[in-house]
């Protein structure tokens, strides 16, 4: 998805209007892009599970799940403030996974953010687990729209 990110004429694949307004994630077979409320340093937690974790919707404003195929053992992660080449790599078992993305309202990060940047502060929690069967994208808790103020 990053290949079109800097090209104003081609939106990143998966970023339909429905994705922008409702899902808040752009989904492709081998990648998921999480729409963040700020183009800045964002607090993110990635948790690996052996099976689907219990669902907790209480603290989150928005929760969405999607499937992702990881055909090799490299999971690359990068944030909205990262330049190309700054991604972090995690070794995983190749296969099909389910990811749950929770948007949890938060206070200002401890350090490193740009206070002149526009947008609400959220903590983004990503829960990832192996999945035997493929399931469609599902919004488990719909946050308000517009959501990034």
């Amino acid at each position: 998805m990053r290949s079109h990110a800097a090209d104003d004429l081609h939106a990143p694949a998966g970023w339909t209007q429905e994705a922008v307004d409702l899902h808040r994630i752009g989904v492709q077979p081998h990648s998921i892009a999480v729409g963040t409320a700020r183009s800045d340093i964002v607090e993110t937690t990635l948790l690996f599970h052996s099976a689907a974790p219990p669902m907790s919707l209480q603290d989150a404003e928005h929760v969405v799940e999607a499937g992702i195929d990881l055909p090799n053992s490299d999971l690359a992660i990068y944030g909205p403030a990262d330049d190309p080449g700054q991604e972090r790599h995690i070794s995983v078992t190749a296969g099909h996974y389910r990811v749950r993305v929770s948007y949890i309202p938060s206070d200002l990060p401890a350090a490193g953010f740009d206070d002149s940047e526009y947008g609400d502060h959220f903590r983004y929690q990503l829960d990832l687990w192996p999945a035997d069967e493929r399931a469609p994208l599902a919004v488990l808790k719909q946050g308000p729209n517009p959501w990034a103020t």
Side-chain angles (χ1 to χ4, degrees):
M1 292 180 68
R2 180 168 271 205
S3 64
H4 294 296
D7 183 349
D8 291 335
L9 299 176
H10 298 94
W15 281 117
T16 63
Q17 195 60 48
E18 183 178 17
V20 171
D21 293 339
L22 300 176
H23 308 152
R24 302 184 191 173
I25 63 173
V27 180
Q28 288 296 294
H30 306 299
S31 67
I32 293 177
V34 177
T36 60
R38 298 175 61 85
S39 181
D40 191 11
I41 303 294
V42 296
E43 221 180 321
T44 305
T45 304
L46 174 62
L47 302 170
F48 290 90
H49 306 276
S50 58
M55 198 172 328
S56 174
L57 302 177
Q58 184 176 352
D59 295 334
E61 181 179 282
H62 181 80
V63 181
V64 62
E65 282 186 6
I68 182 171
D69 287 317
L70 301 174
N72 59 36
S73 61
D74 183 43
L75 174 62
I77 302 166
Y78 53 89
D82 292 338
D83 290 325
Q86 289 185 312
E87 59 273 351
R88 290 118 183 119
H89 295 269
I90 298 172
S91 182
V92 297
T93 302
H96 185 73
Y97 289 82
R98 191 82 176 153
V99 63
R100 180 181 303 143
V101 182
S102 300
Y103 291 65
I104 303 166
S106 70
D107 293 326
L108 301 176
F113 73 97
D114 181 352
D115 63 357
S116 67
E117 275 292 327
Y118 173 81
D120 295 329
H121 289 276
F122 286 93
R123 181 171 58 84
Y124 302 89
Q125 180 171 314
L126 286 74
D127 292 288
L128 185 75
W129 65 93
D132 292 332
E133 38 183 75
R134 296 185 176 151
L137 182 142
V139 176
L140 306 176
K141 182 176 184 180
Q142 182 64 60
N145 188 14
W147 65 277
T149 60

